Amino acid sequence: SSGINAEYRTLAHKLAIRHVRHRPGDSAVVVGYVVEALQSPYEDVVRSAVVEMPELVLLATGAEGVRLMKVAYKAVCASRVDVVQEFMTIIKTVITSSDLF
């Protein structure tokens, strides 16, 4: 069912973030999976990826965080999914918690 898939997706995102928290060098691999989710034609997949992004953007090493933000921005602009509020949350989180800016 769709609800079960959403639960599994949420769990997968949380486990990926936990993994990057403990092994930051693996952020490129995890970011790759999130990028795929952001480019999905399925609304619920895109939404779940965007919702879980703020911490991943902060944890991603080097250019991966910036790459993730660029892909997320393009996904938000191109998507039929209304995730503008979620994306704004990411922006606020990154600006207030990061030294990227």
Side-chain angles (χ1 to χ4, degrees), residues 60-96:
T61 58
E64 292 304 317
V66 175
R67 175 178 161 233
L68 186 55
M69 288 296 293
K70 287 180 181 178
V71 172
Y73 176 75
K74 287 180 184 177
V76 168
C77 291
S79 179
R80 296 181 315 273
V81 182
D82 183 12
V83 289
V84 173
Q85 286 303 111
E86 290 89 342
F87 189 72
M88 293 309 295
T89 300
I90 295 167
I91 301 273
K92 290 175 188 172
T93 301
V94 170
I95 289 173
T96 59

Side-chain angles (χ1 to χ4, degrees), residues 8-85:
Y8 288 144
R9 240 188 334 274
T10 299
L11 178 60
H13 287 301
K14 290 186 184 310
L15 290 172
I17 289 168
R18 184 180 298 164
H19 178 77
V20 172
R21 192 179 305 130
H22 295 285
R23 298 205 43 186
D26 290 349
S27 65
V29 174
V30 173
V31 166
Y33 291 124
V34 174
V35 166
E36 285 182 33
L38 289 168
Q39 295 171 339
S40 172
Y42 301 104
E43 176 178 332
D44 53 338
V45 174
V46 174
R47 184 175 304 283
S48 67
V50 171
V51 166
E52 300 296 335
M53 273 184 54
E55 186 173 3
L56 184 57
V57 169
L58 295 175
L59 292 171
T61 58
E64 292 304 317
V66 175
R67 175 178 161 233
L68 186 55
M69 288 296 293
K70 287 180 181 178
V71 172
Y73 176 75
K74 287 180 184 177
V76 168
C77 291
S79 179
R80 296 181 315 273
V81 182
D82 183 12
V83 289
V84 173
Q85 286 303 111

